[in-house]
Amino acid sequence: MPRIPTRSRAVAAGPRIPHRSRAVAAGFLLPALLLLGALVVYPIGYSVRRSLFDRSDASFVGLDNYLALVTDDSLRTAVRNNLIWLVVAPAVATALGLVFAVLTERVRWGTAFKLVVFMPMAISMLAAGIIFRLVYEQDPDRGVANAVWVGVHDTFAESSGFPRARPLPVHPLKAAGGGAFVTKEPVRAGVPVLLPLVGVAPAQMPQDARPARTPHATGTGTGTGADITGTAWLDFTRGGGGKPNVVDPKELGLKGLRIEAVRDGKVVATATAAADGSFSLPADRADGAVLRLPASNFREQYDGVEWLGPSLVTPAVIGAYVWMWAGFAMVLIGAGLAAVPRELLEAARVDGANEWQVFRRITVPLLAPVLVVVLVTLMINVLKVFDLVFVIAPGSAQDDANVLALQLYRSSFGTDADLGVGSAIAVVLLLLVLPVMVVNIRRIRRESRR
């Protein structure tokens, strides 16, 4: 076998870097390495050491601070919520980004839609938290979420007209159980019926309510021409004055109040009060019955969902996060989608595949590397979520929405700070991020070899 010349061996082995060049390279790298050591390596080492000592940094406690993460209720809640965030938020944001990226390619105004969806990325976490704190307000007059929810609810469910309305003891009405009221005596044809109530706030009175009309009998007996008439009104005169059980000139009718005639436990006739509170019932069915004001007249108005309550506060905050980061996922996935060969998609359609099959079997597999990048990036990001939870969750529900980053802040600062527990949380967050980073680095190296 012929020998390789010395020059060829040197070329095959690669160029040798002179010692002087290495020294120059090391000199240029030294400031960066010092900065990296001061800002990254030293804080990590100090946090690991500090996590093994107690609150005062005087006694070695070993792994006690780490055990507190699974024994203390507040810390255990933070760990559980972080797992929910880690599973739900990146998956939902990536899925929405994929759907938006695919659909926007099929509409003319796709660019404008992408701009609108991506715009929340320009907002800081603090500003987004303030926005969604208002969105999730319990009062439907202020909170957008509950305004929509209450509107939908009231479309399909009848709302109460007079919550908290009630009769006085001197009124001819008594409680019937379940929030309803009935007349103390059966009604008779030819005898006007008075149904006075109090406890209705002026703001809850119908806008078109008119002064109550004093009832008059329309006839006597139980013939077809005789009706049982009456008036339901607010027995309260603003500014004082007026007499109970008497229709005074300034008192308004309870428009829309539902009245039922009940005999032997069965509803035999119904009526609804007019704008002046007047109503009438056929005497041939209602004579001798008692009148009932059903509980549906008085139940509390539906105020919507308690979005920031203990049970829904974490999903609500995750919703705010998805609103911000779905645009980020859409842009990255859209860039990957633009590189997908259109010939493959058209060939699949020619072969008879429908759009769902093309999406599931061709588009998604080809986008798998991009989807992994988006998913890994968001998983790293959610482990650092602090601002949204701190701003959106009210004080009464902050323990229920607690996450590790927020608990790190609460344990490290304030009058009750425990730097040992805070350092342990910081180390745990680092350990949670490391596997994701390793997967990401391996993926990047694998793609660079192609």
Side-chain angles (χ1 to χ4, degrees):
M1 183 176 180
R3 299 179 60 184
I4 301 175
T6 305
R7 183 181 181 87
S8 300
R9 288 179 182 176
V11 172
R16 293 183 179 180
I17 301 176
H19 292 288
R20 183 177 180 182
S21 299
R22 291 178 182 176
V24 172
F28 277 107
L29 289 175
L30 185 61
L33 292 175
L34 291 176
L35 194 63
L36 185 67
L39 299 181
V40 177
V41 178
Y42 173 75
I44 292 176
Y46 178 81
S47 296
V48 173
R49 189 204 71 82
R50 186 66 180 84
S51 68
L52 303 176
F53 286 80
D54 64 355
R55 181 192 301 264
S56 62
D57 198 20
S59 301
F60 180 80
V61 295
L63 300 178
D64 288 354
N65 290 326
Y66 294 93
L67 293 177
L69 296 176
V70 294
T71 56
D72 184 84
D73 290 339
S74 179
L75 297 176
R76 193 164 58 244
T77 300
V79 173
R80 186 188 69 241
N81 286 341
N82 252 105
L83 292 177
I84 295 174
W85 272 88
L86 197 61
V87 173
V88 176
V92 174
T94 303
L96 283 178
L98 175 61
V99 172
F100 291 157
V102 172
L103 293 182
T104 49
E105 283 201 336
R106 300 177 176 272
V107 294
R108 294 181 179 178
W109 38 270
T111 303
F113 180 80
K114 288 181 179 180
L115 179 63
V116 172
V117 175
F118 187 74
M119 195 175 295
M121 284 295 299
I123 303 174
S124 68
M125 285 279 197
L126 177 63
I130 295 173
I131 292 171
F132 274 86
R133 181 65 181 268
L134 296 175
V135 168
Y136 291 135
E137 274 282 351
Q138 180 69 34
D139 186 357
D141 293 331
R142 298 180 60 189
V144 176
N146 264 342
V148 175
W149 190 268
V150 170
V152 173
H153 175 274
D154 290 348
T155 301
F156 298 99
E158 184 181 357
S159 60
S160 169
F162 307 100
R164 300 185 182 181
R166 65 191 185 281
L168 293 174
V170 296
H171 285 162
L173 292 166
K174 63 179 181 179
F181 300 100
V182 297
T183 55
K184 296 177 181 178
E185 301 293 338
V187 296
R188 296 295 178 184
V191 179
V193 182
L194 300 176
L195 301 178
L197 293 172
V198 295
V200 183
Q204 294 173 331
M205 287 294 292
Q207 295 293 328
D208 53 351
R210 294 189 298 174
R213 187 178 68 179
T214 303
H216 298 285
T218 58
T220 58
T222 59
T224 57
D227 288 333
I228 294 176
T229 60
T231 299
W233 82 102
L234 180 62
D235 193 13
F236 173 78
T237 303
R238 298 184 67 177
K243 298 179 180 180
N245 296 330
V246 176
V247 178
D248 295 304
K250 295 183 179 180
E251 295 173 348
L252 300 176
L254 297 174
K255 180 186 177 182
L257 189 74
R258 182 178 173 84
I259 301 111
E260 299 175 342
V262 181
R263 180 185 287 112
D264 299 328
K266 296 181 180 179
V267 177
V268 295
T270 61
T272 302
D276 58 3
S278 61
F279 66 91
S280 65
L281 295 162
D284 57 344
R285 286 182 286 169
D287 186 55
V290 296
L291 299 189
R292 180 174 66 188
L293 305 181
S296 59
N297 290 313
F298 312 112
R299 65 171 177 262
E300 292 290 337
Q301 290 183 343
Y302 182 68
D303 289 331
V305 178
E306 192 178 2
W307 298 104
L308 299 181
S311 59
L312 290 178
V313 62
T314 295
V317 180
I318 290 177
Y321 177 87
V322 171
W323 175 76
M324 288 192 66
W325 287 88
F328 168 81
M330 178 195 65
V331 170
L332 290 188
I333 296 172
L337 191 61
V340 172
R342 299 298 181 222
E343 298 82 5
L344 295 177
L345 305 181
E346 294 301 328
R349 295 188 181 100
V350 171
D351 289 342
N354 57 37
E355 292 301 323
W356 169 246
Q357 291 173 327
V358 171
F359 174 77
R360 183 167 60 92
R361 297 189 176 184
I362 297 179
T363 304
V364 172
L366 290 176
L367 287 176
V370 179
L371 295 178
V372 171
V373 171
V374 174
L375 198 61
V376 169
T377 303
L378 293 181
M379 289 175 68
I380 295 173
N381 185 262
V382 298
L383 290 173
K384 302 182 294 181
V385 167
F386 161 78
D387 318 58
L388 284 178
V389 181
F390 185 74
V391 176
I392 295 178
S396 59
Q398 203 164 86
D399 287 340
D400 300 283
N402 199 14
V403 292
L404 286 175
L406 177 59
Q407 186 60 43
L408 171 61
Y409 168 79
R410 295 168 69 177
S411 298
S412 303
F413 302 96
T415 56
D416 195 32
D418 188 341
L419 291 180
V421 174
S423 299
I425 296 173
V427 173
V428 168
L429 283 174
L430 176 64
L431 294 177
L432 289 175
V433 170
L434 283 179
V436 182
M437 291 296 299
V438 169
V439 171
N440 208 22
I441 292 172
R442 286 183 177 179
R443 181 195 55 77
I444 293 173
R445 287 180 177 176
R446 197 164 49 245
E447 290 184 358
S448 64
R449 295 194 190 104
R450 294 178 182 176

